[in-house]
Amino acid sequence: AQSVSQHNHHVILSEAASLELGCNYSYGGTVNLFWYVQYPGQHLQLLLKYFSGDPLVKGIKGFEAEFIKSKFSFNLRKPSVQWSDTAEYFCAVVAYSSASKIIFGSGTRLSIRP
Amino acid sequence: EAGVTQFPSHSVIEKGQTVTLRCDPISGHDNLYWYRRVMGKEIKFLLHFVKESKQDESGMPNNRFLAERTGGTYSTLKVQPAELEDSGVYFCASSQAGLLDTQYFGPGTRLTVL
């Protein structure tokens, strides 16, 4: 069965620190990869996505993610976090074979100290 | 453009009662999805409608859950009778006609079964 693993349950950083959230998935076929974010009191929203092409994907608010096929990874990065990045981040996969069903990771809660 | 809306935002019911959750997708979106997040766990797929037809209901936990999308517009998810383990946040998402189009999420309905 397909699954997504997020390495950290809760990450605490100071403003201006660099961020990397790990994500690995298990599926041998073609996938589309996503990072979603849920800010406090708000909807889940798409941060960035990878469908094909350049494995380094840039998203909103200065976030980027790199798809490394050989490692089944799609880690999220941001060089300098802000207090407003405090949120819960979800890595997600859609396998071509399962049409549009999204498989989510368990989420990483990011807390930024001002 | 209005986003995905869900009603109610919160529902507290007693075990054995019935609850109906409603989702209004973005206008014109053929695909409608239901997901659920049980406390502390990952967001899990429940089912997928294409217009009024159930495309994939492999994630529905059991026959106490009934989803409908009459007329291909809004959808309802009924839980009857509710059990304690049904507590969680129920998310609805919608996307346009393509199966791999971005899914836009609603704010969720927090269901508490006492």
Side-chain angles (χ1 to χ4, degrees), chain B residues 28-76:
Chain B
H29 280 193
D30 286 344
N31 294 292
L32 187 149
Y33 309 82
W34 284 98
Y35 294 86
R36 176 174 75 170
R37 188 181 195 194
V38 172
M39 182 70 73
K41 299 202 172 179
E42 66 272 23
I43 301 168
K44 283 196 171 179
F45 168 84
L46 295 178
L47 88 160
H48 169 207
F49 284 100
V50 177
K51 298 185 180 178
E52 66 275 8
S53 300
K54 290 177 186 173
Q55 181 76 16
D56 180 354
E57 51 184 329
S58 61
M60 294 287 263
N62 51 60
N63 60 9
R64 295 185 294 102
F65 289 75
L66 175 64
E68 294 180 323
R69 192 182 182 195
T70 308
T73 54
Y74 71 91
S75 174
T76 58

Side-chain angles (χ1 to χ4, degrees), chain A residues 28-88:
Chain A
T30 304
V31 295
N32 293 331
L33 297 156
F34 306 82
W35 277 94
Y36 280 85
V37 60
Q38 188 170 26
Y39 297 101
Q42 296 189 28
H43 301 197
L44 264 171
Q45 57 184 281
L46 184 66
L47 200 55
L48 50 79
K49 63 184 178 183
Y50 171 80
F51 278 13
S52 63
D54 188 344
L56 185 61
V57 180
K58 295 194 185 299
I60 60 172
K61 304 188 179 186
F63 285 91
E64 65 178 31
E66 185 175 12
F67 171 47
I68 303 179
K69 190 174 180 180
S70 61
K71 294 185 179 179
F72 297 90
S73 70
F74 191 55
N75 292 354
L76 181 71
R77 299 193 293 249
K78 185 171 183 177
S80 176
V81 295
Q82 301 172 308
W83 180 79
S84 58
D85 293 325
T86 295
E88 191 161 16

